[in-house]
Amino acid sequence: MADTTTDRARRQELLDAMRAQPGDWTTGTVVRFHTANGWGCLRSVARTDLRRLVADGLVTEHGPQNGRVYRLNLTRDPRLGHGWQTPAQTPNRATHRPSRRR
């Protein structure tokens, strides 16, 4: 099935909501969110949206098959910055390392 502009807009709105309210999101929560925002979707559409966000690495899934929750993947969120774990991309990265004294 082709990914349409409407599908991308719906997923982007869901991702923005997950960023605004981090925590556990279930398929039912996503259905209620989409319905409240005028998308009027079914559970299958909500599951597809969540699976796509997981495949893109923006959301992680936790829990058993019958009680799965989805959470924002904070390590892959470009809006939160890279943090201290990612070194700055400079031409002379070695000069940024502290010198070792003997």
Side-chain angles (χ1 to χ4, degrees):
M1 183 174 226
D3 191 27
T4 64
T5 306
T6 306
D7 295 339
R8 286 190 297 271
R10 187 181 59 242
R11 275 195 305 275
Q12 184 60 48
E13 193 171 320
L14 173 61
L15 189 59
D16 291 340
M18 291 177 91
R19 286 178 178 139
Q21 296 179 333
D24 294 346
W25 286 69
T26 63
T27 304
T29 307
V30 173
V31 168
R32 287 189 297 277
F33 171 77
H34 283 328
T35 303
N37 289 299
W39 295 104
C41 76
L42 304 170
R43 286 183 70 80
S44 60
V45 174
R47 282 190 198 112
T48 303
D49 287 349
L50 288 168
R51 272 192 232 120
R52 183 64 185 261
L53 291 174
V54 168
D56 291 344
L58 299 169
V59 173
T60 57
E61 54 186 352
H62 304 276
Q65 191 83 21
N66 61 349
R68 186 145 305 164
V69 295
Y70 298 85
R71 296 182 189 129
L72 191 62
N73 187 357
L74 299 177
T75 61
R76 292 284 309 267
D77 193 356
R79 292 187 182 188
L80 297 176
H82 294 292
W84 63 269
Q85 295 90 349
T86 305
Q89 295 298 324
T90 58
N92 300 320
R93 266 184 45 192
T95 60
H96 295 288
R97 295 184 187 141
S99 60
R100 190 176 216 190
R101 295 186 181 195
R102 292 182 187 203

